[in-house]
Amino acid sequence: MCSIGLSCPPGLTVTTDVCARFHKSGKELPPGVFDEVLEGLTVIEDEMDRRLGDPSAPLLLSVRSGAAVSMPGMMDTVLNLGMNDAVAAGLAEQSGNPRFAYDSYRRFLDMFGDVVMGVPHGLFEAELEGIKAKRGVTEDTELTADDLKELVEAYKGVYAARGTAFPEDPLEQLRLSIFAVFDSWESDRANKYRAINKISGLEGTAVNVQAMVFGNMGESSGTGVCFTRDPSTGEAYLYGEYLVDAQGEDVVAGIRTPEPIETMAKALPQAYEELLNNTSLLERHYKDMQDIEFTVQDGRLYMLQCRSGKRTGAGAVKIAADMVKEGLRSTEEALKIVEPGHIDQLLHPQFKDEAAYKPNVMGKGLPASPGAAVGRVVFSAADAEAMKARGEPCVLVTIDTSPEDVGGMHAAEGVVTARGGMTSHAAVVARGWGKPCVCGCDGLRVDSEAGEVEFGGVTLLEGDWISLNGATGEVISGRQELSAAEPSPELLQVMSWADEARNLNVLANADTPADAAAARANGAEGIGLCRTEHMFFESDARLLSVRKMILAEAKEQRQVALDELLPFQRGDFEGIFRAMQGLPVAVRLMDPPLHEFLPDGELEEVCEGLAADTGVDVNAVLARVESLEETNPMLGFRGCRLGVAYPELPAMQARAVFEAACAADAAGECPSSIDVMVPLVGTVAELAHHIQIIRDAADAAFVAHGKSVAYRVGTMVEIPRACLIADELAAAGAEFFSFGTNDLTQMTFGYSRDDASRFIPTYLEEGVLAADPFEVLDQEGVGQLIQMATERGRSARADIKVGVCGEQGGEPSSVAFCDRLGLDYVSCSPFRVPIARLAAAHAALAARDA
């Protein structure tokens, strides 16, 4: 700000490098640093014509933080530094304003005690409230100079009562304050803020030592905070607040109720006009909306600090679009100030007023799928479907979910689970549908028999209203008001710029025609993962046929059941293909263990029900069900292993794919290409077995329909061994690799993704993990396997198509990693497609800038 000619108090900066060395050395300043601070201090003293600690011409200082990334409110500040009894008396005489001098002194004693000496602010606040009560006043500004002198003595008594010595030496105050600001970099709140906002790679905070200017010198003085645009809407006008006769913490800490910034135009018109000019200059200089703090001292404006202002999603896209119109930024520059989180906010229903529901928050879990949901409490999938059929909104509250619950999950407005993590079944499915979901609610007690749920000391009965904030993980009692998400013209404009800038294709994980349509509406360029097994739960008739197949003792019986499933699968595929006309679609053959298609409950009751439904002898059912029991089903009889044991299963699915493709093609509504994906391959022989089945099915369908469609056969790479033999898989006929990063992460780490939520939060808190690897791609481990497999696959087949279709495919840092590796695409849930599009654009722009 000084360099562009604004009126700023002089100062010096102790750099972030010093902060890093401070923490590494056991909280000591590196040799010579404080001597350099003292040299810089003489420059400040000369410019202000005042001296630190000199009662005849006292200089006071502010000591503020300054990190490379804005983290407002997370680190500490000390104001009015340099005060002691002699300086206070001198300042009172020199300024002719004893009230101002002792007001500054009491403020310093409070802030220095709290920030530097560990004396709780509440002890000082109690003394302040006590003297106000004694004088019969309500505002700090109503206290006289004598009152404030008395308060200073009371504050000194707080130090004494705590056994803490207040340092009279201003240089010692300065040294300790620098230490305290550096210390605040590692405070719990700062660490948590960085973790939530995924801020990493920074050395620390700088310390800015600046001459104090005073807004608490009477009616011609004041302080304020303003934004150059409305951070909520993005509208271009000065947005902020101002307080007469105050210092900065009065505004930011809510000590007094400030006035709208425009009131300053009447009280201090000259300073206000200068503020308008300065804020406009700063925005043009930084080419971004600015968050600014300022002080007016005796009518003169001083600019204290500025930073890029935090904004909502709606504000972000409008600011970006408007700055292009105004010529402040190019389209590529505008993209850089819109964050993926901003887009996320705009895609899901939102609560109209989050502050209003805070008193009703029952507790928090993992924010597994963003958005807001409101409905009546139900405890089972069946009840959710029944309530949906009655036209009433509901929220499914349960211990956890299984694939059998998908009908109820689809019927519900949102899902709450006691168990499970960010890639649990509930989370993955909910995100795929864009439904708000809160998982892993520690302390959530569900008693479905009694028809009640208890969380955070609040009990709700079945049918009571409940609300979810999937972005924060909050579970709220009662019916909270929602507002629907609608894409603004500015959002559509920003997304078109992102598409022009990115290299990666962005596809979607979609399992139904409705999913496919939603994906396309969100800008997906095809389907990167269509999970066929989810279709089996669409109706009781389908599920019955699946169970017949599972219970069949001979191939002939199994084939009868598969013949019943064929038309269902064919119809589903045709609907998806038509919805994605002209775009590629990747279909994964059945992946999960067979036991997931069996009902839950007591074994005897389950078997009796299955026998009645399927016509199979109950003893045979019992034997078959027991044979399906596995110690670790996620590493057991699933994926391509099912196809090797029961080749008629992938044959039926492949036949359905190609017959549907021919039908869609005959209607002129076929995808540009179809990829048939073999899951869980670990050997060349497994892949070769399936390639033969798939190609035979394609040939038969093409002969029968007298036409052919473009298709490829490939594999979902989700086993570390497949990465190691990727060149052999490519040579054996794999025409594409789709990295299933959920399972690849599970098998690389040896973490069960269904159980990892029990320890991953502790790992994150203790720094064992920097991020949840099921949410953010582990670039050092899993990422290296992906890189190895890509390089080896391309060495054997130069044109092999390579992408990621796990949950991390929609996570921005993971998308950036995929771009750096030169992958062809990422695929994610339909409602995360816009986020991935923007993240891919950011990655491409970063590569061009490097």
Side-chain angles (χ1 to χ4, degrees):
M1 289 192 290
C2 292
S3 69
I4 60 174
L6 303 190
S7 177
C8 302
L12 62 89
T13 296
V14 188
T15 67
T16 55
D17 174 64
V18 175
C19 182
R21 292 162 65 189
F22 171 83
H23 286 289
K24 288 176 183 175
S25 66
K27 299 188 178 181
E28 291 291 337
L29 288 179
V33 167
F34 196 65
D35 292 334
E36 291 186 41
V37 169
L38 297 182
E39 289 178 23
L41 178 60
T42 63
V43 176
I44 300 174
E45 290 176 330
D46 290 343
E47 187 164 339
M48 296 296 291
D49 195 23
R50 296 175 177 275
R51 296 289 178 268
L52 186 67
D54 182 352
S56 63
L59 171 71
L60 301 186
L61 299 173
S62 67
V63 181
R64 303 170 182 268
S65 62
V69 174
S70 174
M71 294 184 282
M74 294 302 108
M75 287 167 287
D76 286 326
T77 294
V78 178
L79 302 179
N80 304 296
L81 185 144
M83 275 292 195
N84 55 34
D85 289 351
V87 168
L91 186 61
E93 182 178 349
Q94 188 266 341
S95 67
N97 188 341
R99 189 193 181 285
F100 148 69
Y102 286 97
D103 183 49
S104 299
Y105 194 6
R106 66 95 182 175
R107 288 172 182 273
F108 175 63
L109 286 167
D110 182 349
M111 186 173 278
F112 185 84
D114 180 35
V115 170
V116 181
M117 307 302 292
V119 181
H121 167 69
L123 299 178
F124 299 110
E125 190 69 16
E127 295 291 345
L128 173 61
E129 293 304 315
I131 199 167
K132 282 161 64 176
K134 188 161 59 173
R135 297 291 184 267
V137 300
T138 57
E139 298 292 334
D140 303 0
T141 51
E142 296 177 279
L143 295 175
T144 66
D146 288 338
D147 294 334
L148 292 168
K149 279 186 181 181
E150 183 179 331
L151 190 58
V152 163
E153 294 306 314
Y155 279 10
K156 290 181 186 177
V158 170
Y159 279 82
R162 296 276 298 188
T164 302
F166 169 69
E168 295 276 347
D169 180 6
L171 291 181
E172 180 65 6
Q173 296 170 4
L174 178 58
R175 187 181 69 85
L176 292 175
S177 295
I178 291 172
F179 280 23
V181 175
F182 280 156
D183 262 342
S184 68
W185 174 258
E186 293 293 350
S187 65
D188 288 343
R189 66 179 183 272
N191 283 326
K192 187 172 184 180
Y193 183 90
R194 289 195 293 274
I196 291 170
N197 291 280
K198 298 180 175 61
I199 298 170
S200 61
L202 302 183
E203 291 188 305
T205 181
V207 173
N208 295 309
V209 179
Q210 195 173 21
M212 277 291 296
V213 288
F214 303 97
N216 59 326
M217 294 188 72
E219 293 298 314
S220 63
S221 302
T223 190
V225 175
C226 63
F227 295 80
T228 54
R229 302 185 187 225
D230 187 324
S232 294
T233 67
E235 294 293 330
Y237 66 93
L238 194 63
Y239 175 99
E241 296 175 320
Y242 175 76
L243 266 176
V244 173
D245 195 16
Q247 288 196 349
E249 71 266 27
D250 296 347
V251 178
V252 297
I255 294 170
R256 288 166 53 193
T257 303
E259 296 288 334
I261 192 74
E262 55 267 24
T263 62
M264 184 180 162
K266 291 184 178 179
L268 299 164
Q270 185 173 342
Y272 182 72
E273 189 64 31
E274 186 180 353
L275 177 65
L276 290 177
N277 293 334
N278 285 355
T279 54
S280 177
L281 181 61
L282 281 170
E283 186 174 89
R284 291 196 304 274
H285 178 77
Y286 286 108
K287 298 181 180 180
D288 196 8
M289 184 261 280
Q290 295 296 294
D291 172 359
I292 296 162
E293 293 183 25
F294 66 91
T295 285
V296 178
Q297 177 178 311
D298 280 338
R300 181 178 177 183
L301 176 70
Y302 291 92
M303 307 295 284
L304 303 182
Q305 68 178 39
C306 68
R307 58 193 172 202
S308 292
K310 301 297 183 184
R311 64 208 71 178
T312 66
V317 295
K318 180 163 178 57
I319 288 168
D322 285 353
M323 285 190 167
V324 172
K325 291 178 185 176
E326 295 162 16
L328 285 177
R329 282 181 174 260
S330 67
T331 57
E332 292 187 351
E333 289 170 336
L335 282 173
K336 295 176 183 178
I337 61 172
V338 180
E339 301 169 4
H342 292 143
I343 304 301
D344 200 16
Q345 291 179 30
L346 298 173
L347 299 178
H348 301 272
Q350 304 293 319
F351 288 109
K352 276 196 172 180
D353 186 357
E354 292 191 11
Y357 72 58
K358 293 297 182 184
N360 298 316
V361 173
M362 301 165 65
K364 293 184 72 174
L366 298 174
S369 183
V374 179
R376 296 185 181 275
V377 173
V378 295
F379 300 114
S380 73
D383 288 342
E385 292 182 82
M387 190 166 285
K388 175 77 170 180
R390 295 197 299 269
E392 291 190 72
C394 65
V395 170
L396 179 60
V397 182
T398 181
I399 296 172
D400 53 21
T401 65
S402 71
E404 195 173 4
D405 296 324
V406 292
M409 293 176 67
H410 192 266
E413 301 299 311
V415 180
V416 183
T417 68
R419 294 202 293 256
M422 298 293 282
T423 55
S424 64
H425 175 266
V428 171
V429 174
R431 276 196 294 271
W433 288 331
K435 289 187 180 291
C437 178
V438 179
C439 290
C441 295
D442 189 29
L444 176 69
R445 184 182 62 82
V446 179
D447 188 341
S448 55
E449 290 188 7
E452 65 180 34
V453 56
E454 190 273 330
F455 195 24
V458 179
T459 299
L460 296 180
L461 303 179
E462 186 169 21
D464 285 347
W465 287 96
I466 191 172
S467 302
L468 311 181
N469 188 332
T472 65
E474 291 168 306
V475 181
I476 310 138
S477 63
R479 186 177 189 174
Q480 308 301 325
E481 192 172 1
L482 294 174
S483 59
E486 292 184 6
S488 65
E490 291 85 4
L491 175 59
L492 296 175
Q493 179 66 78
V494 166
M495 294 313 303
S496 71
W497 295 334
D499 293 337
E500 293 170 6
R502 61 185 165 89
N503 298 318
L504 279 170
N505 289 323
V506 178
L507 312 181
N509 303 338
D511 306 330
T512 66
D515 291 343
R520 192 158 195 161
N522 282 326
E525 297 168 297
I527 292 177
L529 173 62
C530 176
R531 293 158 289 205
T532 55
E533 63 272 4
H534 285 182
M535 302 172 181
F536 295 156
F537 290 98
E538 285 294 311
S539 69
D540 291 341
R542 299 181 190 213
L543 196 53
L544 179 59
S545 296
V546 173
R547 289 170 177 170
K548 286 180 182 178
M549 175 195 72
I550 293 170
L551 298 176
E553 295 182 355
K555 179 178 178 179
E556 293 74 17
Q557 294 171 309
R558 207 160 26 250
Q559 190 62 58
V560 170
L562 290 169
D563 288 343
E564 293 177 1
L565 282 171
L566 175 64
F568 292 124
Q569 289 255 279
R570 185 169 54 218
D572 288 332
F573 291 139
E574 187 175 345
I576 289 171
F577 294 161
R578 291 188 176 207
M580 301 307 289
Q581 176 188 350
L583 298 175
V585 174
V587 176
R588 184 185 71 184
L589 302 181
M590 197 168 88
D591 178 57
L594 295 178
H595 74 86
E596 291 194 4
F597 299 97
L598 300 178
D600 295 325
E602 294 295 328
L603 182 59
E604 184 176 338
E605 293 179 6
V606 166
C607 292
E608 288 176 354
L610 285 172
D613 289 341
T614 61
V616 179
D617 178 74
V618 68
N619 291 323
V621 170
L622 177 60
R624 181 62 175 147
V625 170
E626 288 179 338
S627 73
L628 292 174
E629 185 176 345
E630 297 180 87
T631 302
N632 191 341
M634 293 306 290
L635 298 179
F637 190 35
R638 55 175 287 226
C640 65
R641 300 157 199 168
L642 291 170
V644 171
Y646 308 131
E648 54 274 14
L649 175 57
M652 180 278 291
Q653 291 195 297
R655 178 183 172 188
V657 167
F658 293 113
E659 289 182 353
C662 289
D665 186 62
E669 297 177 329
C670 194
S672 59
S673 66
I674 295 170
D675 292 344
V676 182
M677 188 187 305
V678 183
L680 222 69
V681 164
T683 71
V684 170
E686 288 171 327
L687 178 63
H689 173 90
H690 280 74
I691 286 177
Q692 189 61 54
I693 291 173
I694 293 164
R695 295 208 181 279
D696 287 347
D699 291 343
F702 296 161
V703 169
H705 288 79
K707 62 170 67 234
S708 63
V709 296
Y711 77 96
R712 282 177 293 222
V713 182
T715 180
M716 178 177 264
V717 180
E718 47 197 329
I719 294 177
R721 190 177 193 277
C723 297
L724 298 172
I725 63 166
D727 51 344
E728 298 177 44
L729 295 173
E735 297 171 293
F736 68 88
F737 289 160
S738 179
F739 291 99
T741 49
N742 297 341
D743 268 327
L744 187 57
T745 297
Q746 176 172 240
M747 296 189 194
T748 302
F749 274 92
Y751 295 168
S752 165
R753 57 182 174 142
D754 290 325
D755 301 313
S757 62
R758 298 180 182 180
F759 62 86
I760 281 183
T762 302
Y763 271 33
L764 296 175
E765 289 173 11
E766 297 296 327
V768 176
L769 291 172
D772 184 341
F774 293 108
E775 181 182 355
V776 179
L777 185 67
D778 165 47
Q779 297 179 18
E780 293 180 350
V782 176
Q784 295 313 302
L785 288 173
I786 293 173
Q787 182 175 3
M788 177 196 304
T790 300
E791 291 171 352
R792 292 186 178 184
R794 286 174 173 167
S795 71
R797 182 185 290 271
D799 64 346
I800 193 167
K801 180 182 175 183
V802 184
V804 163
C805 66
E807 281 301 298
Q808 296 91 335
E811 192 280 319
S813 68
S814 307
V815 172
F817 181 74
C818 294
D819 182 81
R820 290 197 297 275
L821 289 189
L823 302 192
D824 297 302
Y825 70 91
V826 293
S827 186
C828 58
S829 303
F831 292 91
R832 299 184 81 181
V833 165
I835 298 168
R837 289 162 62 196
L838 179 64
H842 283 177
L845 294 174
R848 292 170 206 171
D849 293 342

